[in-house]
Amino acid sequence: MAHPVTTLAVTSGEPAGIGPDLCLQLAQPEHEQALAHKQILVVLADRTLLQQRSALLGLDVQLHDYDAQQISSLPPGHLRVLHVPLAQPVQAGKLNPANSRYVLDLLTRALQGCQAGEFGGMVTAPVHKGIINDAGIPFTGHTEFLAEQTHTAQVVMMLAGGGLRVALATTHLPLREVPDAITPALLESVLRIIQRDLVRRFGIAKPRILVAGLNPHAGEGGYLGREEIDIMIPVLDKLRAQGMNVSAPLPADTLFTPQRLEQCDCVLAMYHDQGLPVLKHASFGRGVNVTLGLPIIRTSVDHGTALELAGTGRADAGSLLEAIRMAADMVHNERAATAINHGKHGKHG
């Protein structure tokens, strides 16, 4: 059965980076089949910026103003744009703090559309955290920004690609702060979010989750750290008793072996650089960053703004295409789960 068409918001990210280039590539004929007509794309960007970058790249792209009342598929070479104005003109590769608020305006508008049901989900091109902070706006990343804007107490960053899904118990923290951040409450909350979203948005009926220990050799029975014994094992035992398929804390150096990974749907790493180097080695340029736990669906590319590539034509849209495909699949799975739940309630109501 064919999937219903989904409207996705695509934010173009840092205007001086490769985000606008990638969005323009979405209109190219070679990507038409990759997108498979399961989604209508609405690119959020300054229209003039896209026109200028298109000329710089030598691309022939026809831009169409977004009209929520007139949504239909566009032929190759055409792109639907929801215009958000820049503060100042942009030069490819040159950051300008004056345009930092514009970057957040893109995210805010996409989020509002998702919350209102205008968009089924949002897909984000990369932003530059440093320049936003240079503008005097506290910003640690998309994940944290969207959590704050939706009043979501706990979200989980998960990257997918290369046949792997890797979620993080902690994200952008200095390494010396990680052990104190991993509390029983945090670990339980993170695992429940992973479980719920893998079922509801990824269509996995009984997720299998492998959990990395914090310390080398998962603590070596307490000789290399007691976090596994004192914090992790009691939580994992509790969740297992409640029916979740979660492993004991496993040594991270042998967790990512083919034999182990065949037995899991997601790996939970305790900190950013414990799990992501493996995933990015397996999938860089084709990976997808997913925020679990939000009331809306959000996926993103697995790379940065690549200022040196902006306007050169060398930027690869592979990760953005994967992020769009994944968002469309997540919307489909969530709709199916909702329909099943409604059917159950209807029978018993």
Side-chain angles (χ1 to χ4, degrees):
M1 186 175 71
H3 293 190
V5 173
T6 297
T7 301
L8 297 176
V10 182
T11 60
S12 53
E14 166 53 49
I18 60 172
D21 307 42
L22 300 180
C23 289
L24 288 164
Q25 286 187 42
L26 297 176
Q28 298 309 295
E30 62 265 29
H31 297 317
E32 181 185 16
Q33 189 171 4
L35 293 171
H37 303 293
K38 282 193 297 188
Q39 59 279 308
I40 300 291
L41 303 181
V42 179
V43 172
L44 281 69
D46 183 286
R47 185 185 174 103
T48 301
L49 166 65
L50 291 181
Q51 289 170 334
Q52 292 171 342
R53 194 65 61 87
S54 178
L56 185 62
L57 294 168
L59 297 176
D60 181 17
V61 179
Q62 299 295 313
L63 303 181
H64 298 258
D65 290 326
Y66 168 65
D67 181 350
Q69 305 306 314
Q70 294 184 339
I71 292 289
S72 59
S73 295
L74 294 174
H78 296 251
L79 197 65
R80 183 178 283 104
V81 180
L82 195 168
H83 173 67
V84 177
L86 280 162
Q88 293 185 8
V90 169
Q91 182 179 347
K94 302 292 184 181
L95 294 170
N96 183 348
N99 285 321
S100 294
R101 179 60 61 184
Y102 159 84
V103 175
L104 300 186
D105 288 345
L106 299 175
L107 297 176
T108 301
R109 176 62 181 87
L111 175 59
Q112 289 170 346
C114 290
Q115 291 173 316
E118 178 185 7
F119 307 129
M122 61 188 287
V123 181
T124 58
V127 299
H128 193 287
K129 300 183 186 76
I131 199 67
I132 297 174
N133 283 285
D134 287 348
I137 305 168
F139 183 82
T140 53
H142 279 112
T143 303
E144 296 83 356
F145 178 80
L146 293 171
E148 181 181 346
Q149 294 297 308
T150 57
H151 309 290
T152 305
Q154 178 71 52
V155 294
V156 177
M157 179 189 291
M158 183 180 82
L159 270 78
L164 301 173
R165 296 185 189 92
V166 178
L168 303 177
T170 63
T171 53
H172 301 119
L173 275 183
L175 196 53
R176 66 171 62 249
E177 296 178 16
V178 168
D180 290 340
I182 298 173
T183 62
L186 174 90
L187 192 59
E188 180 174 344
S189 174
V190 165
L191 281 163
R192 288 192 187 281
I193 289 169
I194 294 169
Q195 170 85 4
R196 186 188 70 210
D197 276 13
L198 287 179
V199 171
R200 185 170 179 79
R201 292 179 171 171
F202 286 82
I204 302 170
K206 295 181 179 179
R208 302 163 300 172
I209 304 169
L210 297 184
V211 180
L214 172 68
N215 296 295
H217 300 187
E220 195 79 64
Y223 290 103
L224 295 177
R226 291 196 56 85
E227 284 83 3
E228 287 79 9
I229 294 171
D230 296 339
I231 294 169
M232 299 181 69
I233 290 174
V235 171
L236 297 171
D237 286 347
K238 172 186 173 181
L239 295 177
R240 211 174 295 114
Q242 294 175 2
M244 283 179 59
N245 188 342
V246 292
S247 73
L250 298 170
D253 62 343
T254 54
L255 176 52
F256 293 96
T257 57
Q259 295 86 349
R260 288 274 196 202
L261 294 175
E262 284 173 6
Q263 305 167 32
C264 89
D265 299 297
C266 183
V267 172
L268 175 61
M270 292 299 104
Y271 55 93
H272 189 279
D273 284 12
Q274 184 183 54
L276 296 195
V278 179
L279 183 130
K280 292 195 176 186
H281 172 73
S283 69
F284 194 72
R286 293 293 184 277
V288 180
N289 185 344
V290 187
T291 307
L292 306 180
L294 288 172
I296 59 109
I297 287 170
R298 178 261 172 167
T299 65
S300 185
V301 295
D302 71 343
H303 55 74
T305 53
L307 296 168
E308 70 282 1
L309 297 180
T312 67
R314 301 202 310 273
D316 185 342
S319 181
L320 183 60
L321 291 166
E322 292 293 339
I324 289 168
R325 278 196 287 259
M326 184 172 289
D329 287 342
M330 290 171 70
V331 173
H332 169 74
N333 290 330
E334 187 164 68
R335 284 174 178 164
T338 301
I340 290 170
N341 287 336
H342 283 170
K344 287 178 181 177
H345 292 310
K347 288 176 185 175
H348 299 291

